[in-house]
Amino acid sequence: MAIWENGQIEKAYGYAENIRDGRGVTWGWVGFTTADGDAIAVLEEFESLHPNNPLSPFLTQLRAMAVSDEAGFIRAVHASASGEFNADFERAQNHQSDLKYYLPALKVAQKLGLKTAAAIAQIYDSAINHGLEGVDALVSQATQELAGTPSSGIDEVRWLNAYLDIRYRVLVADPTWRSSSDRVAVFKEQIVARGNLNLDRPIHIESVQYGVFDIR
């Protein structure tokens, strides 16, 4: 997911950019955004761990979901990912990404009867990319297409492939998301199709959109 989000294997905690998708500044390793409210919980936790950090002056703006000084905010994100602030900044991001994306994704996967690491990872990545409402819509389509889920007896790999195909179509149909369609295509072709359902390392990734990587 670090590759899909930032084009590198390591988590990019200090990433910040306005990608012109209408959600303000996208920042942090999972792409928190300033205009839809998911950034404030991270910054409030960061503030509790390390008061008077570089992002402290932006708390009021983040609560209003309107950052007036985007350039200053981006500089503050960069500064927070280094020096004395780094460990607490990473801790806040990881904790909030678990609360907002990972743990809810696990609940969805358990309800669906998904057992493999690949299937669970795909639900998690979808939550980050589409939000939980988007995951619900994708799951609903896949379940309707196959008339069931693994919890009701549908083969898990068959269900996962259907889910991936549906998610890919959603991505390529949206001008904002089209450039990230490899996060699904590569996962399907280079991980699932090769039978690496446990996500065993090494994992070799070749993507036109993201580059070439070896996860060891």
Side-chain angles (χ1 to χ4, degrees):
M1 280 180 281
I3 293 173
W4 311 145
E5 289 295 313
N6 301 113
Q8 62 186 54
I9 293 175
E10 300 79 14
K11 294 179 179 179
Y13 294 100
Y15 165 76
E17 178 184 9
N18 188 331
I19 61 175
R20 309 301 171 189
D21 63 352
R23 296 189 291 177
V25 177
T26 297
W27 64 279
W29 88 267
V30 298
F32 302 104
T33 53
T34 60
D36 67 2
D38 70 348
I40 186 60
V42 183
L43 295 196
E44 288 181 336
E45 180 168 346
F46 183 33
E47 181 72 11
S48 70
L49 293 170
H50 205 128
N52 301 315
N53 60 71
L55 284 161
S56 298
F58 293 92
L59 284 168
T60 299
Q61 295 180 43
L62 262 294
R63 291 190 182 104
M65 292 183 285
V67 174
S68 58
D69 180 12
E70 287 191 350
F73 180 83
I74 290 170
R75 287 193 297 271
V77 171
H78 295 333
S80 297
S82 62
E84 64 175 289
F85 308 104
N86 181 50
D88 289 330
F89 193 46
E90 291 184 4
R91 187 174 296 115
Q93 286 192 44
N94 287 332
H95 184 222
Q96 290 301 322
S97 66
D98 281 353
L99 291 178
K100 184 174 178 62
Y101 301 114
Y102 182 62
L103 295 177
L106 280 182
K107 289 183 179 179
V108 172
Q110 290 167 358
K111 183 178 180 180
L112 293 170
L114 303 177
K115 305 293 185 183
T116 66
I120 295 168
Q122 192 53 215
I123 299 297
Y124 180 25
D125 185 60
S126 299
I128 289 174
N129 189 197
H130 303 270
L132 292 172
E133 289 185 0
V135 171
D136 288 343
L138 294 169
V139 165
S140 179
Q141 290 182 61
T143 300
Q144 183 175 4
E145 183 174 304
L146 296 181
T149 68
S151 66
S152 65
I154 301 298
D155 178 76
E156 182 166 335
V157 175
R158 181 175 171 233
W159 190 92
L160 176 57
N161 276 303
Y163 180 91
L164 287 165
D165 288 341
I166 292 166
R167 186 182 173 200
Y168 181 81
R169 291 196 294 268
V170 168
L171 289 176
V172 297
D174 189 300
T176 301
W177 288 342
R178 190 174 300 138
S179 62
S180 64
S181 58
D182 262 13
R183 73 192 293 159
V184 175
V186 168
F187 194 89
K188 180 178 180 180
E189 296 164 5
Q190 300 178 26
I191 295 177
V192 177
R194 295 176 182 175
N196 190 7
L197 300 178
N198 293 324
L199 301 182
D200 294 324
R201 301 184 183 191
I203 298 175
H204 181 70
I205 298 293
E206 292 187 19
S207 165
V208 173
Q209 294 174 355
Y210 296 100
V212 179
F213 302 89
D214 285 297
I215 305 172
R216 301 187 183 280

